[in-house]
Amino acid sequence: MQARYSATLGALPCTLLSANLPTQTLTGLAGAGAPQAALSGAIQSLPDPGGIVNQIDTVDGPYCTALDTIRPYHALFPGSDGALSLALAGGKTQLYNNDLITIDETMPNFSGYLETDYFSSDGSVLHLYPTSTDAAQQFAAGGAKVLGDPARGGASWQVSAPFGTDMIISIASSVPLFAKLRPQDETASDYLPALRQALQNAAAGGAKISVAAIPVVTLAK
Protein backbone atom coordinates (compact mmCIF):
# COMPACT_ATOMS: atom_id res chain seq x y z
CA MET A 1 0.00 0.00 0.00
CA GLN A 2 2.82 2.41 0.86
CA ALA A 3 4.35 1.87 -2.58
CA ARG A 4 0.99 2.58 -4.23
CA TYR A 5 0.59 5.84 -2.32
CA SER A 6 4.15 6.89 -3.13
CA ALA A 7 3.77 6.16 -6.84
CA THR A 8 0.43 7.99 -7.02
CA LEU A 9 1.05 11.01 -4.81
CA GLY A 10 4.78 11.39 -4.30
CA ALA A 11 5.61 13.33 -7.47
CA LEU A 12 2.44 15.33 -8.12
CA PRO A 13 3.44 18.83 -9.34
CA CYS A 14 2.87 21.79 -7.01
CA THR A 15 2.31 19.68 -3.90
CA LEU A 16 4.10 18.82 -0.68
CA LEU A 17 2.24 15.92 0.92
CA SER A 18 2.46 13.60 3.91
CA ALA A 19 0.51 10.41 4.46
CA ASN A 20 -0.42 8.38 7.52
CA LEU A 21 -1.56 4.95 6.40
CA PRO A 22 -2.98 3.66 9.71
CA THR A 23 -5.43 6.57 9.79
CA GLN A 24 -5.61 7.04 5.98
CA THR A 25 -4.94 10.74 6.54
CA LEU A 26 -3.32 13.05 4.00
CA THR A 27 -1.84 16.39 5.03
CA GLY A 28 0.30 19.02 3.33
CA LEU A 29 -0.08 21.57 0.59
CA ALA A 30 -1.38 21.70 -2.97
CA GLY A 31 -1.57 24.62 -5.35
CA ALA A 32 -5.01 25.97 -6.20
CA GLY A 33 -6.58 25.19 -9.56
CA ALA A 34 -5.02 22.54 -11.79
CA PRO A 35 -2.69 21.08 -9.11
CA GLN A 36 -5.57 20.64 -6.68
CA ALA A 37 -7.70 19.04 -9.41
CA ALA A 38 -4.87 16.63 -10.30
CA LEU A 39 -4.49 15.73 -6.63
CA SER A 40 -8.22 15.04 -6.30
CA GLY A 41 -8.07 12.71 -9.30
CA ALA A 42 -5.03 10.93 -7.89
CA ILE A 43 -6.74 10.38 -4.55
CA GLN A 44 -9.75 8.87 -6.30
CA SER A 45 -7.46 6.33 -7.96
CA LEU A 46 -6.18 5.03 -4.62
CA PRO A 47 -7.70 2.00 -2.89
CA ASP A 48 -10.72 2.93 -0.75
CA PRO A 49 -10.71 6.65 -1.63
CA GLY A 50 -13.88 7.15 0.40
CA GLY A 51 -11.99 6.22 3.55
CA ILE A 52 -9.21 8.76 3.01
CA VAL A 53 -9.22 11.78 5.33
CA ASN A 54 -8.11 14.73 3.19
CA GLN A 55 -6.60 17.47 5.36
CA ILE A 56 -4.50 19.02 2.57
CA ASP A 57 -4.44 22.81 2.45
CA THR A 58 -5.03 24.47 -0.92
CA VAL A 59 -2.62 27.35 -1.47
CA ASP A 60 -3.18 30.38 -3.69
CA GLY A 61 -0.13 32.20 -5.00
CA PRO A 62 3.02 31.81 -7.12
CA TYR A 63 4.49 28.93 -5.15
CA CYS A 64 4.49 25.96 -7.53
CA THR A 65 8.16 26.39 -8.50
CA ALA A 66 9.15 26.62 -4.83
CA LEU A 67 7.20 23.48 -3.92
CA ASP A 68 8.58 21.61 -6.92
CA THR A 69 12.10 22.64 -5.90
CA ILE A 70 11.89 21.13 -2.44
CA ARG A 71 9.51 18.20 -3.06
CA PRO A 72 12.26 15.72 -4.14
CA TYR A 73 13.66 16.00 -0.61
CA HIS A 74 10.35 15.43 1.18
CA ALA A 75 9.28 11.92 2.08
CA LEU A 76 5.59 11.10 1.78
CA PHE A 77 6.18 8.73 4.70
CA PRO A 78 8.79 10.02 7.18
CA GLY A 79 11.57 7.51 7.76
CA SER A 80 13.73 6.92 10.80
CA ASP A 81 15.18 10.44 10.50
CA GLY A 82 11.75 11.97 11.11
CA ALA A 83 10.85 15.29 9.56
CA LEU A 84 11.61 18.94 10.14
CA SER A 85 8.83 20.63 12.13
CA LEU A 86 7.78 24.16 11.09
CA ALA A 87 4.91 26.25 12.47
CA LEU A 88 3.91 29.78 13.36
CA ALA A 89 4.09 30.36 17.10
CA GLY A 90 0.88 29.36 18.82
CA GLY A 91 -0.20 27.27 15.84
CA LYS A 92 -1.56 30.33 14.05
CA THR A 93 -2.42 30.17 10.36
CA GLN A 94 -3.51 33.79 9.90
CA LEU A 95 -1.67 36.99 10.74
CA TYR A 96 -2.88 40.59 10.61
CA ASN A 97 -1.26 43.89 9.67
CA ASN A 98 1.60 44.69 12.10
CA ASP A 99 1.47 41.25 13.77
CA LEU A 100 4.85 39.78 14.56
CA ILE A 101 5.94 36.81 12.44
CA THR A 102 7.26 34.33 14.98
CA ILE A 103 8.27 30.84 13.87
CA ASP A 104 8.96 27.63 15.79
CA GLU A 105 11.19 24.99 14.23
CA THR A 106 12.40 21.62 15.44
CA MET A 107 15.15 19.67 13.73
CA PRO A 108 14.56 16.13 12.47
CA ASN A 109 16.48 13.21 13.95
CA PHE A 110 19.82 14.35 12.57
CA SER A 111 22.09 17.28 13.36
CA GLY A 112 22.52 19.99 10.78
CA TYR A 113 21.81 23.48 9.56
CA LEU A 114 18.64 25.45 8.80
CA GLU A 115 17.70 27.66 5.86
CA THR A 116 14.38 29.46 6.44
CA ASP A 117 12.75 31.75 3.85
CA TYR A 118 9.58 33.83 3.64
CA PHE A 119 8.01 33.84 0.17
CA SER A 120 5.54 36.65 -0.50
CA SER A 121 2.70 36.69 -2.99
CA ASP A 122 4.45 39.51 -4.91
CA GLY A 123 7.28 37.13 -5.88
CA SER A 124 9.83 38.36 -3.33
CA VAL A 125 11.79 36.26 -0.82
CA LEU A 126 13.03 37.39 2.59
CA HIS A 127 15.72 35.17 4.07
CA LEU A 128 14.82 34.84 7.74
CA TYR A 129 17.68 32.56 8.74
CA PRO A 130 20.64 32.57 8.61
CA THR A 131 21.37 36.31 8.38
CA SER A 132 24.30 38.62 9.02
CA THR A 133 23.01 39.18 12.57
CA ASP A 134 21.93 35.57 13.25
CA ALA A 135 24.71 33.41 11.89
CA ALA A 136 24.33 29.83 10.74
CA GLN A 137 24.98 27.25 13.41
CA GLN A 138 24.77 23.51 13.67
CA PHE A 139 21.73 22.27 15.56
CA ALA A 140 21.56 18.97 17.38
CA ALA A 141 19.07 16.31 16.30
CA GLY A 142 15.69 17.42 17.64
CA GLY A 143 17.08 20.88 18.45
CA ALA A 144 14.74 23.88 18.43
CA LYS A 145 15.03 27.29 16.80
CA VAL A 146 12.66 30.22 17.34
CA LEU A 147 12.71 33.08 14.84
CA GLY A 148 11.19 36.53 15.20
CA ASP A 149 10.63 36.61 18.96
CA PRO A 150 11.93 39.96 20.33
CA ALA A 151 12.17 38.48 23.82
CA ARG A 152 14.89 36.15 22.55
CA GLY A 153 16.82 38.86 20.73
CA GLY A 154 17.66 38.87 17.05
CA ALA A 155 15.59 40.18 14.18
CA SER A 156 11.83 40.50 14.21
CA TRP A 157 9.38 41.05 11.38
CA GLN A 158 5.86 42.43 11.11
CA VAL A 159 3.12 41.69 8.63
CA SER A 160 2.55 44.45 6.07
CA ALA A 161 0.97 44.91 2.64
CA PRO A 162 0.56 43.30 0.16
CA PHE A 163 -1.81 40.98 1.98
CA GLY A 164 -2.82 37.52 0.82
CA THR A 165 -1.30 34.06 1.06
CA ASP A 166 2.43 33.91 1.73
CA MET A 167 4.59 30.85 2.39
CA ILE A 168 7.40 29.95 4.73
CA ILE A 169 9.81 27.26 3.55
CA SER A 170 12.49 25.77 5.75
CA ILE A 171 15.19 23.22 4.99
CA ALA A 172 17.27 21.18 7.43
CA SER A 173 20.44 19.75 5.93
CA SER A 174 23.38 17.95 7.47
CA VAL A 175 25.72 20.33 5.59
CA PRO A 176 25.28 24.08 4.92
CA LEU A 177 23.52 24.68 1.60
CA PHE A 178 25.32 27.93 0.73
CA ALA A 179 28.96 28.89 1.20
CA LYS A 180 27.99 32.53 1.79
CA LEU A 181 24.85 34.41 2.70
CA ARG A 182 22.31 35.21 0.04
CA PRO A 183 21.12 38.86 -0.21
CA GLN A 184 18.54 39.15 2.55
CA ASP A 185 15.88 40.26 0.05
CA GLU A 186 15.69 38.87 -3.48
CA THR A 187 13.19 37.59 -6.00
CA ALA A 188 12.01 34.02 -6.04
CA SER A 189 13.02 33.81 -9.70
CA ASP A 190 16.63 34.56 -8.73
CA TYR A 191 16.71 32.45 -5.59
CA LEU A 192 14.99 29.22 -6.58
CA PRO A 193 17.46 28.13 -9.30
CA ALA A 194 20.30 28.65 -6.81
CA LEU A 195 18.41 26.72 -4.13
CA ARG A 196 17.69 23.88 -6.53
CA GLN A 197 21.39 23.60 -7.40
CA ALA A 198 22.42 23.79 -3.74
CA LEU A 199 20.02 20.99 -2.82
CA GLN A 200 21.21 18.83 -5.70
CA ASN A 201 24.85 19.36 -4.71
CA ALA A 202 24.14 18.53 -1.07
CA ALA A 203 22.20 15.39 -1.98
CA ALA A 204 24.89 14.26 -4.40
CA GLY A 205 27.39 14.54 -1.56
CA GLY A 206 25.29 12.27 0.63
CA ALA A 207 23.79 14.97 2.88
CA LYS A 208 20.63 14.32 4.83
CA ILE A 209 17.86 16.77 3.94
CA SER A 210 14.39 17.43 5.33
CA VAL A 211 12.05 20.17 4.12
CA ALA A 212 8.87 21.81 5.37
CA ALA A 213 6.49 24.50 4.12
CA ILE A 214 3.50 26.28 5.63
CA PRO A 215 1.12 28.87 4.18
CA VAL A 216 0.64 32.15 6.01
CA VAL A 217 -2.59 34.04 5.31
CA THR A 218 -2.05 37.76 5.95
CA LEU A 219 -4.99 40.15 6.38
CA ALA A 220 -5.31 43.92 6.68
CA LYS A 221 -7.46 43.61 9.85
Side-chain angles (χ1 to χ4, degrees), residues 34-201:
Q36 197 278 333
L39 170 62
S40 296
I43 290 172
Q44 289 304 308
S45 74
L46 291 170
D48 187 25
I52 293 173
V53 180
N54 185 344
Q55 296 180 347
I56 298 165
D57 290 324
T58 301
V59 181
D60 261 325
Y63 306 118
C64 285
T65 302
L67 292 174
D68 291 343
T69 297
I70 64 173
R71 191 179 56 256
Y73 310 95
H74 176 74
L76 186 65
F77 301 95
S80 59
D81 285 333
L84 172 65
S85 173
L86 171 68
L88 291 175
K92 293 180 180 179
T93 58
Q94 295 183 343
L95 295 175
Y96 295 88
N97 189 33
N98 296 322
D99 279 355
L100 286 172
I101 302 168
T102 307
I103 302 159
D104 295 329
E105 304 191 65
T106 304
M107 288 289 291
N109 297 330
F110 61 82
S111 62
Y113 301 82
L114 287 170
E115 180 79 32
T116 306
D117 304 312
Y118 192 101
F119 289 75
S120 295
S121 56
D122 63 1
S124 64
V125 180
L126 174 65
H127 300 298
L128 304 180
Y129 181 80
T131 67
S132 59
T133 57
D134 194 0
Q137 67 179 79
Q138 188 173 30
F139 295 92
K145 175 69 173 175
V146 178
L147 295 172
D149 181 354
R152 295 172 180 259
S156 62
W157 310 276
Q158 289 179 290
V159 172
S160 61
F163 304 108
T165 301
D166 298 334
M167 182 175 290
I168 299 171
I169 288 178
S170 192
I171 302 166
S173 56
S174 56
V175 299
L177 291 180
F178 297 104
K180 60 181 182 179
L181 288 175
R182 303 287 303 179
Q184 188 160 17
D185 296 274
E186 59 182 323
T187 64
S189 58
D190 284 340
Y191 175 55
L192 288 173
L195 177 61
R196 183 181 296 109
Q197 188 62 59
L199 286 166
Q200 290 173 351
N201 291 345

